[in-house]
Amino acid sequence: MPEMQRRKTRIIKVGNVEIGGANPVRVQTMLNTDTLDINASVRQIRACVSAGAELVRLAVPSLQHVAAFAEIKKKVQVPLIADVHFNAEVAIESLRVADKVRINPGNFPKAELESLIKAAKQLNKPLRIGVNHGSLSKDQIEKFGEDATAMAAATIEYLNFFREREFEDLIVAIKASDPLMMIEANRLLVREMDKAKMDYPLHLGVTEAGSGEEGRIKSELGIGTLLMEGIGDTIRVSLTEDPVCEVELAYSLLQVVKRRISKTEFVSCPGCSRTLFHIEKLTQEIKEKFSNLKGVKIAIMGCVVNGLGEARDADFALVGGKDGMVNLYQKGKLAKKDIPAENAARELGKYLRTNN
């Protein structure tokens, strides 16, 4: 099935990284180190960048943190985003050193937002604005409520506030810890933005998703659903884990929904009594040896019942045959028959070296 066309958005430049337009969906993460610990923060940034992070966010709650942020920025090459709440002075000072500042406008009085907009214009820096379900202001809750419709309405109200002040260098985010609410809120927001001819890029995330399997499932459901609908220009997977894990899952998610291909795609069946070789062992061996072949699809199938059909569009397929044997197919055509399963990875490697 062809992927849905991405929603058209304007390009916002964050440091040397462009977000929106025809650019790939960008991968972002946030440090869990203390920003005041400069060395630990630099180490974590470098680890995240090695994993593929294109933008990194840091918490900046005070002017002391702004100074530490500035020192960190001198030591890394990736665009850095300052995450600031409640304090307009800190947000404005952060604009002087950060590539972007992220705020929830509901945490600032209107007069302070005016000052922040003025500073962002002068410094030519973008802002990320939006609403988390937990950050709706008291006035907004009284006005709109606390459901997905309320979140979208509050965000549109903010966007109109910024547009009226002729500041549109914005990235927009609307998040919740409930992925179903996050999905619905973003759908409603996009509908209203399109009506108002607002083409700001969207940042996606399920906030406070958790850890382990639960955190992954929530993030995959919320972010993945919207990406498949063509919504989203940058993503952050929020896990109660090392941020490197967030980056790795983000790329896996983008690969599955075909928004960004960065590694090998694997297809394998669960196996059944018709499978006459150790499919779990072979699948793991193949994945360990051939995981970094961008754009290559490899299938490991237990038998011919579904194997040939399900693997038809794979570049290479290993399909179970005689007892303990597999057959190697290339682009749906038989390349080599009756390979002992224990030799299959080596034989596949030969064909990969010849054809890639």
Side-chain angles (χ1 to χ4, degrees):
M1 184 179 70
E3 65 183 44
M4 185 175 289
Q5 186 176 356
R6 269 177 69 188
R7 178 175 175 267
K8 292 182 179 179
T9 58
R10 68 176 61 195
I11 295 174
I12 301 295
K13 195 166 185 180
V14 181
N16 60 357
V17 172
E18 291 185 341
I19 293 172
N23 290 292
V25 177
R26 300 297 188 183
V27 173
Q28 180 177 314
T29 190
M30 183 170 180
L31 301 192
N32 58 20
T33 55
D34 182 350
T35 305
L36 296 177
D37 190 336
I38 293 170
N39 291 333
S41 297
V42 169
R43 284 195 298 271
Q44 193 167 82
I45 289 170
R46 289 173 176 166
C48 291
V49 170
S50 293
E54 296 167 292
L55 306 108
V56 178
R57 183 156 48 106
L58 294 80
V60 184
S62 72
L63 292 175
Q64 187 181 7
H65 287 80
V66 175
F69 185 103
E71 291 302 309
I72 292 166
K73 197 165 191 320
K74 294 175 185 176
K75 300 175 184 293
V76 299
Q77 302 300 315
V78 67
L80 296 186
I81 302 159
D83 188 272
V84 186
H85 299 276
F86 307 111
N87 191 318
E89 183 184 9
V90 171
I92 290 169
E93 289 303 311
S94 294
L95 280 168
R96 302 185 193 283
V97 294
D99 295 295
K100 180 178 74 175
V101 171
R102 177 263 184 155
I103 62 166
N104 287 339
N107 293 333
F108 296 86
K110 286 187 177 180
E112 292 186 354
L113 280 179
E114 299 267 12
S115 298
L116 183 57
I117 291 170
K118 183 178 178 181
K121 282 183 177 181
Q122 290 175 342
L123 296 165
N124 194 28
K125 295 290 183 69
L127 296 172
R128 192 191 106 191
I129 69 166
V131 167
N132 283 9
H133 184 238
S135 72
L136 288 165
S137 69
K138 182 179 178 181
D139 290 344
Q140 287 171 332
I141 291 172
E142 291 175 355
K143 185 176 181 180
F144 300 120
E146 294 186 81
D147 60 7
T149 303
M151 293 172 67
T155 305
I156 288 292
E157 186 173 74
Y158 292 143
L159 291 175
N160 284 327
F161 182 89
F162 279 78
R163 174 179 268 187
E164 287 164 6
R165 285 146 186 86
E166 298 181 340
F167 184 83
E168 299 192 86
D169 200 5
L170 299 170
I171 294 169
V172 187
I174 184 165
K175 296 184 177 184
S177 56
D178 179 345
L180 300 181
M181 179 178 285
M182 173 264 194
I183 292 167
E184 184 61 18
N186 275 278
R187 286 171 174 166
L188 291 169
L189 176 62
V190 166
R191 192 178 307 159
E192 293 305 311
M193 286 175 66
D194 288 347
K195 285 180 185 177
K197 300 190 184 305
M198 294 176 174
D199 60 353
Y200 311 116
L202 286 176
H203 171 76
L204 303 181
V206 177
T207 190
E208 295 109 22
S211 64
E213 183 180 78
E214 182 179 29
R216 284 161 172 76
I217 291 172
K218 285 183 178 180
S219 295
E220 289 159 0
L221 173 61
I223 299 171
T225 298
L226 292 169
L227 288 173
M228 287 192 295
E229 294 176 6
I231 298 169
D233 300 280
T234 171
I235 66 172
R236 186 244 172 141
V237 175
S238 298
L239 297 175
T240 314
E241 298 178 23
D242 187 323
V244 168
C245 298
E246 297 185 351
V247 177
E248 292 171 345
L249 182 57
Y251 277 102
S252 294
L253 177 52
L254 288 169
Q255 174 110 0
V256 169
V257 298
K258 292 182 168 48
R259 287 300 174 194
R260 195 162 177 179
I261 304 301
S262 60
K263 54 189 176 180
T264 315
E265 180 180 354
F266 294 100
V267 176
S268 61
C269 74
C272 65
S273 60
R274 289 187 292 266
T275 303
L276 304 178
F277 68 100
H278 198 318
I279 191 169
E280 290 180 48
K281 181 179 179 181
L282 179 58
T283 299
Q284 187 59 35
E285 183 182 4
I286 296 296
K287 291 179 77 171
E288 287 175 358
K289 291 185 176 180
F290 308 113
S291 63
N292 295 315
L293 302 172
K294 182 177 178 180
V296 174
K297 185 174 183 178
I298 300 174
I300 306 98
M301 310 301 288
C303 70
V304 296
V305 173
N306 292 317
L308 295 178
E310 297 295 337
R312 186 180 296 115
D313 63 343
D315 296 291
F316 297 92
L318 294 165
V319 181
K322 296 177 182 177
D323 192 2
M325 302 286 187
V326 297
N327 301 321
L328 174 62
Y329 290 82
Q330 182 176 356
K331 300 289 187 182
K333 295 182 179 180
L334 183 64
K336 190 167 184 178
K337 195 173 182 179
D338 294 339
I339 303 168
E342 60 269 23
N343 298 334
R346 185 167 65 248
E347 288 298 319
L348 175 59
K350 293 178 183 177
Y351 278 83
L352 284 166
R353 285 191 293 274
T354 303
N355 294 277
N356 286 281

